[in-house]
Amino acid sequence: MRRVTLGGLPVFNPISMRHPLMALVLLFGCATASTGTGTAASPSSRGAEPLHLPAVTWSSEEQAVHVLNRLAYGPSPTDVRQVEAMGPAAWIAWQLRPARIDDAEVEKRLADFPSLSMSTAELVAYYPRAKKVAEAKGIRLEGKSPEAMRAELAGVVEPFQLPRQVGAELVAARLIRATVSRRQFQETLVDFWFNHFNVSADKGAVRWMVSPYEREAIRAHLFGTFRELLGAVAHHPAMLFYLDNWTSTRESLSLPKKGRTGLNENYGRELLELHTLGVDGGYTQDDVREVARCFTGWGIRKPNEDGAFEFHPRAHDTGSKRVLGTEIPAGAGMEDGERVLDLLATHPSTAHFIARKLAQKFVMDAPPPELVERVAQVFLRTGGDLTATYRALFESPEFWSDAARAAKVKTPLEFTVSAVRALGGTTAGDVPMVQALNRMGQPLYRAQPPTGWPEVSQPWVNPGALVARIDFGLKLASGRMTGTEVPLPAMDGAPDEVVDRTARAILHRPLGEQTRATVLAALGASEVMPDGERRRLDGAKLVGLLLGAPEFQTQ
Amino acid sequence: MSPFSRRQFLRSAGALAALGAVPGFLGRALAASEAATGKTLVLVFLRGGADGLSIVPPVGDPAYRAARPTLALAAPGKDGGALRLDDVFALHPALAPLMPLWSDGTLGIVHAAGLPGATRSHFDAQDFCESGTPGLKSTADGWLNRAVQRASGRDGAFRVVAVQPTLPRMLVGDAPAVAMSSLGQFRLPGGPGSSGAFDALYAQAVDTALRTTGLETFEALREAGSAKLAQLPPSNGAEYGNAPVARRLQDVARLIRSGVGLQVAVTDMGGWDTHVGEGTEKGQLASRLTELGGALAAFARDLGARWADTRVVVMTEFGRTARENGNRGTDHGTASVMLVLGGGVRGGRVVGGYRGLGRSELFEERDLAIGTDVRAVLWEAARGQLALQDASRVFPGFSPGSPVLG
């Protein structure tokens, strides 16, 4: 491993990132995922064919709220108005082509985060391991406690150059986008597909790869074919590192420094089990091994410096393989892996597995088999066209069924962001918001297992997390979440009217008689001053109660 | 699925409570009646791969000093020397506070414990230690949750607690578990015990899972508040100090002593990945051990009579290389050491099948070889504390052999 020589270390000045040149790089970085930036049309004039939605008896507000609960991070006052004005069919069609949606506000705010547009090599250079800097500067860390080491390092590395800054900016960007992006459906898809193809920033060098991973592998392929998305993930160093494929070689290869190496099945197994076929998708242990053999040599050039994809012919197992009954002839080298991805991307098991998972995310925890079958058929018929697959989901009667409404418990991310949005607020994705997510059990980009975060409700519902949710609602409403601001609704009027009005605005449904009484009592609404004057309702307390209420935990 | 689904049971109990048919939380009565005789299992996970060969150095193995020219601890009796346990093993001097427990037989040591199918990735090794299914990544739940699902009897808001910000992998699953950074933080702004009006709001919740969890939560908040759990001072003159692990164990002791029905507690501690400058009787590893040893000793003292019903298992994801590296540290290895403490432990012994550090005895010519499967130690502790019968339900594919510590 080469040492980082400080002499050659690019000295990074955050101010210069706001330089026009850097802005160009940034724009370019964004433009890869969103061609057409800045030339967005008004919502109604352009966009895909409106969806054919089944007839429902819900009010237009109820329809808008349901759509925003699933294709967005919850209803915000402006988005409810917009969906109602456009109608859900046109709004969804509009969201299915996010490149045409003007999102200048978000892009402007993300310009504050230079790391978002950097390659892994740049990230490693600008945010070096503190220990390497210390080494290069001749600071001895031996025998020191972690606290003492931190103190030493604080003196030589600027806080904004610490590796943790990369993660902090990525998390902040995710929160800002989820809260204020007009491309709301795109943001829910980033959540879904990142989670489907999870990598954890906590695993070694992934820390410097995760930001490029989200940008290049996930965001860039949300609306294409599943094969494109799968391929981008398979090639990405973040995945190659996270699931160890970069260490996997043909059996008994002797490498100068590492000694004898061999096959690592980690990626091969997860590719079949988690990314494509599903655990019951009809593959065997032999298939896992054969798939792993096909991917030998798919590696990373200097994981701790360049972090770029590289094929290593010497590490590749050149023999013939047999995957799911299909012969992969000898001698195709790196193409072996592509053949496997071709096989898997259009496999019926993959279609069903992906259809079911999408239905779990966007419809309900236990989707009806008929829905899964219908969506899977669209996936197969269109060669894994993701946009067509999403359309099938949203055109389904199951999506528009009473059983689907408010049927899912929000994840911590969905809960916190939807709370800010419900009040028409905004966030900078600062530490308090991040800590709140950690306390609720969803530290972003740090899901340890390859399964990612659970897609269903049960794991999110536990007492510690519930206390954290209630606490978050109260703090947010009382303005104690630094960097995240929400305007409080007006409290003018008779107490019961105020409670009803505020509950409608936040929960979009009337309060039950008993709940209403509980809320009024908690607010001391019945107390009357000696001169007959009534106490003005505490807006922060009312909003806190509503955000912490069970009705706000579901979507 | 568990044969006895507590969730299901609670749902009906919760529904009744919401209708006012059952006054209060069913768990409270049960907890109160059984807590006095209840046993508790406490798991402390050392994250990063703790060096078993420095924690319990095999000073009697001639190969030890050769493998660790700068890291070997001095022999017992010498200045800064390790503390003699038997003819082969000694204890790191920073763990001196544990010597009284060793002497009274409530500390047992399993050396050369590890999981088969070694992986030297922290990430995967921790995953396997916690899922309890080495090599199998698709396991959705954690071994300790599966154990709790099969344990009979006790119920209560604080039955299973992780004193750390998120629920660890080993506690993920169908059985409810509370994760909290600390008892002090497990409260709402209204003050300890206050639930604002939220208890009433959740009692009316339409969603069953939310209603049930609400009941559990506000019961737990009430219990924590009424017992003033967060303020409970240590007893018997125990002094915890300020190390994070000490504060966490102090919270566990509070839960045990206040009789709220704690059956399983988990916490973790980082800082064990000693690649560079590991240190000997002083230094990086020694500071971690000072914190750990002090915390465990205070915990045992604080528990007093309850120590007899408590079993603590200290574990890590893997050990470190037998030989030190070029940075006066050690790299990721295979087997490490497990500490088992508590009143019921037949301790005062080092067991586990340590084979030695000679070249031919090492695993892949570099690591201490596994003498005991980590699952055997975990199973033994869980079986005893939770009255379990069938190991295969907790650790699928694993059959425990003869007792490790008995």
Side-chain angles (χ1 to χ4, degrees):
Chain A
M1 208 182 296
R2 210 155 46 104
R3 279 194 183 180
V4 169
T5 51
L6 260 200
L9 192 75
V11 176
F12 169 61
N13 173 0
I15 306 303
S16 74
M17 298 304 289
R18 300 197 177 115
H19 192 274
L21 191 73
M22 203 56 222
L24 242 170
V25 173
L26 232 151
L27 262 177
F28 184 74
C30 290
T32 56
S34 58
T35 25
T37 306
T39 58
S42 72
S44 52
S45 69
R46 253 187 266 173
E49 179 76 2
L51 278 74
H52 303 286
L53 304 183
V56 285
T57 55
W58 307 347
S59 74
S60 79
E61 185 192 347
E62 286 171 332
Q63 294 179 42
V65 166
H66 181 59
V67 165
L68 289 166
N69 268 332
R70 297 304 166 79
L71 282 82
Y73 280 90
S76 73
T78 45
D79 283 354
V80 172
R81 281 196 296 274
Q82 190 177 26
V83 179
E84 283 199 74
M86 290 175 74
W91 189 85
I92 295 174
W94 181 55
Q95 288 289 319
L96 287 172
R97 303 175 79 170
R100 299 185 174 199
I101 302 174
D102 174 26
D103 217 11
E105 170 63 23
V106 162
E107 278 153 30
K108 201 176 84 204
R109 295 183 56 182
L110 297 188
D112 289 343
F113 301 130
S115 74
L116 292 183
S117 56
M118 291 187 191
S119 68
T120 295
E122 288 170 320
L123 291 170
V124 170
Y126 286 126
Y127 307 94
R129 279 189 174 84
K131 279 182 186 172
K132 288 211 158 193
V133 179
E135 228 171 77
K137 293 201 168 183
I139 295 169
R140 291 174 63 87
L141 297 172
E142 282 170 30
K144 293 196 170 116
S145 71
E147 295 77 32
M149 274 196 223
R150 267 196 289 278
E152 285 269 350
L153 292 171
V156 293
V157 191
E158 296 291 342
F160 63 80
Q161 271 191 288
L162 287 173
R164 66 160 183 258
Q165 181 72 11
V166 180
E169 291 188 358
L170 188 59
V171 171
R174 175 77 83 89
L175 290 168
I176 290 169
R177 283 167 156 151
T179 309
V180 295
S181 173
R182 297 177 74 220
R183 301 168 182 172
Q184 279 286 302
F185 180 53
Q186 169 183 289
E187 292 311 309
T188 64
L189 285 178
V190 170
D191 188 36
F192 176 81
W193 287 114
F194 190 104
N195 199 49
H196 180 78
F197 293 112
N198 184 52
V199 302
S200 168
D202 283 350
K203 182 163 172 170
V206 176
R207 187 174 207 175
W208 290 270
M209 297 169 172
V210 64
S211 187
Y213 176 70
E214 177 172 305
R215 185 180 69 232
E216 298 159 357
I218 305 294
R219 285 187 177 274
H221 299 94
L222 299 170
F223 294 91
T225 66
F226 181 70
R227 175 65 179 84
E228 289 160 358
L229 176 59
L230 184 68
V233 168
H235 279 269
H236 207 281
M239 185 58 78
L240 292 167
F241 192 95
Y242 174 71
L243 291 179
D244 304 324
N245 200 73
W246 72 290
T247 68
S248 180
T249 70
R250 66 187 160 87
E251 289 297 4
S252 307
L253 172 69
S254 263
L255 291 173
K257 275 186 191 162
K258 289 181 185 163
R260 263 158 54 113
T261 61
L263 202 61
N264 185 312
E265 297 175 356
N266 203 355
Y267 175 67
R269 182 180 306 282
E270 306 310 357
L271 173 64
L272 298 177
E273 178 188 321
L274 299 175
H275 297 174
T276 59
L277 304 177
V279 69
D280 303 316
Y283 61 90
T284 65
Q285 171 58 33
D286 283 346
D287 288 320
V288 170
R289 203 177 164 74
E290 294 290 287
V291 167
R293 288 180 62 214
C294 288
F295 281 99
T296 47
W298 285 46
I300 307 171
R301 185 171 64 230
K302 297 184 185 161
N304 292 311
E305 291 172 48
D306 288 6
F309 176 85
E310 187 171 69
F311 181 68
H312 301 126
R314 270 192 65 212
H316 185 68
D317 182 332
T318 52
S320 71
K321 297 106 182 166
R322 194 169 186 81
V323 174
L324 300 169
T326 300
E327 180 85 7
I328 312 250
M334 189 182 139
E335 285 305 305
D336 287 359
E338 302 290 353
R339 286 291 313 280
V340 172
L341 297 179
D342 290 341
L343 273 174
L344 295 173
T346 50
H347 195 283
S349 293
T350 301
H352 284 86
F353 183 60
I354 299 298
R356 183 175 154 77
K357 228 178 145 181
L358 281 166
Q360 276 191 318
K361 163 87 175 174
F362 290 105
V363 185
M364 57 183 83
D365 283 0
E370 313 85 73
L371 170 65
V372 174
E373 184 59 38
R374 215 177 313 123
V375 174
Q377 289 309 325
V378 171
F379 182 101
L380 286 172
R381 202 167 55 235
T382 60
D385 181 316
L386 293 175
T387 307
T389 308
Y390 307 144
R391 284 182 82 102
L393 208 54
F394 303 134
E395 288 181 335
S396 75
E398 290 85 356
F399 180 86
W400 293 98
S401 68
D402 287 337
R405 279 176 70 196
K408 285 187 65 80
V409 172
K410 294 172 182 174
T411 63
L413 177 64
E414 289 163 347
F415 166 70
T416 49
V417 173
S418 68
V420 180
R421 282 173 54 81
L423 295 156
T426 183
T427 184
D430 280 2
V431 174
M433 192 79 172
V434 177
Q435 280 175 342
L437 282 167
N438 294 353
R439 264 189 83 193
M440 293 173 210
Q442 196 178 21
L444 296 181
Y445 300 102
R446 293 173 55 206
Q448 187 187 322
T451 43
W453 305 115
E455 210 59 82
V456 295
S457 307
Q458 186 259 330
W460 298 117
V461 184
N462 93 68
L466 195 54
V467 168
R469 285 180 186 225
I470 292 171
D471 192 49
F472 171 83
L474 293 166
K475 283 198 176 122
L476 179 69
S478 55
R480 282 182 293 139
M481 296 292 297
T482 311
T484 303
E485 279 148 28
V486 290
L488 290 182
M491 290 292 116
D492 309 318
D496 43 357
E497 279 168 32
V498 173
V499 168
D500 285 347
R501 192 175 67 221
T502 314
R504 263 217 94 78
I506 292 176
L507 305 174
H508 296 280
R509 51 186 140 171
L511 285 182
E513 225 17 73
Q514 221 180 335
T515 304
R516 189 162 170 262
T518 305
V519 170
L520 280 165
L523 293 168
S526 57
E527 289 170 38
V528 183
M529 297 289 132
D531 61 357
E533 188 190 331
R534 284 201 147 193
R535 179 197 292 252
R536 192 182 160 80
L537 291 189
D538 179 342
K541 193 167 181 187
L542 172 57
V543 169
L545 280 169
L546 293 171
L547 295 178
E551 288 81 357
F552 196 76
Q553 309 310 313
T554 56
Q555 62 181 30
Chain B
M1 275 296 122
S2 70
F4 167 75
S5 169
R6 180 172 174 275
R7 269 279 179 216
Q8 212 55 48
F9 167 72
L10 263 182
R11 274 196 190 118
S12 44
L16 286 171
L19 292 168
V22 175
F25 190 72
L26 210 66
R28 174 181 275 175
L30 285 167
S33 63
E34 293 187 32
T37 53
K39 293 182 171 182
T40 305
L41 173 61
V42 181
L43 217 123
V44 181
F45 202 116
L46 311 181
R47 296 194 190 268
D51 184 11
L53 293 171
S54 270
I55 299 172
V56 181
V59 289
D61 182 342
Y64 167 63
R65 237 154 263 288
R68 302 270 177 113
T70 74
L71 290 186
L73 288 146
K78 294 201 172 157
D79 194 27
L83 313 167
R84 187 188 142 86
L85 297 177
D86 60 25
D87 290 344
V88 178
F89 297 104
L91 194 65
H92 192 288
L95 290 178
L98 297 184
M99 278 312 275
L101 302 177
W102 170 266
S103 307
D104 72 18
T106 61
L107 163 63
I109 293 170
V110 185
H111 217 312
L115 269 188
T119 162
R120 294 188 182 94
S121 144
H122 290 297
F123 186 83
D124 295 337
Q126 288 182 19
D127 197 51
F128 292 147
C129 280
E130 299 199 57
S131 71
T133 57
L136 193 66
K137 292 200 151 185
S138 56
T139 309
D141 51 9
W143 75 268
L144 195 47
N145 193 289
R146 293 194 296 275
V148 172
Q149 288 170 39
R150 272 139 194 110
S152 59
R154 223 141 20 130
D155 233 319
F158 288 114
R159 184 190 185 199
V160 182
V161 176
V163 190
Q164 55 191 79
T166 53
L167 204 60
R169 171 90 160 89
M170 70 181 99
L171 281 180
V172 170
D174 281 347
V178 179
M180 57 169 93
S181 316
S182 68
L183 275 171
Q185 275 199 31
F186 188 68
R187 51 175 285 183
L188 289 173
S194 159
S195 54
F198 288 102
D199 49 352
L201 291 180
Y202 275 81
Q204 296 152 27
V206 182
D207 185 287
T208 353
L210 284 171
R211 191 172 61 240
T212 309
T213 307
L215 285 165
E216 291 167 8
T217 305
F218 301 113
E219 184 62 23
L221 283 172
R222 262 189 299 276
E223 293 220 17
S226 69
K228 292 200 170 58
L229 282 180
Q231 285 89 48
L232 192 66
S235 56
N236 306 318
E239 286 180 33
Y240 280 95
N242 274 324
V245 66
R247 287 199 297 261
R248 288 168 166 202
L249 281 176
Q250 185 173 9
D251 277 348
V252 175
R254 285 173 169 139
L255 289 166
I256 294 174
R257 286 173 48 214
S258 54
V260 292
L262 183 75
Q263 205 163 11
V264 167
V266 176
T267 193
D268 63 5
M269 180 181 179
W272 301 92
D273 196 14
T274 49
H275 287 283
V276 182
E278 180 170 326
T280 51
E281 83 275 8
K282 285 194 182 119
Q284 203 186 136
L285 183 74
S287 341
R288 297 281 80 73
L289 291 173
T290 303
E291 295 179 3
L292 178 67
L296 288 169
F299 181 68
R301 191 183 187 111
D302 189 5
L303 286 185
R306 300 300 308 274
W307 184 237
D309 302 322
T310 305
R311 183 169 289 207
V312 185
V313 178
V314 182
M315 68 182 295
T316 186
E317 70 264 33
F318 48 56
R320 309 193 70 84
T321 46
R323 282 183 290 278
E324 64 180 72
N325 62 24
N327 299 318
R328 300 194 174 196
T330 47
D331 295 319
H332 302 177
T334 304
S336 188
V337 73
M338 292 174 85
L339 309 180
V340 185
L341 307 93
V345 178
R346 285 173 49 216
R349 305 179 287 155
V350 182
V351 299
Y354 173 90
R355 257 170 278 172
L357 302 182
R359 195 181 173 83
S360 61
E361 292 137 357
L362 292 179
F363 174 66
E364 295 183 348
E365 299 185 356
R366 54 172 268 162
D367 302 340
L368 177 61
I370 296 174
T372 296
D373 193 312
V374 165
R375 291 172 293 180
V377 183
L378 296 177
W379 168 247
E380 193 166 282
R383 189 196 56 198
Q385 299 305 100
L386 304 177
L388 302 176
Q389 310 283 327
D390 186 358
S392 70
R393 296 300 186 102
V394 176
F395 293 112
F398 171 73
S399 39
S402 48
V404 184
L405 274 162

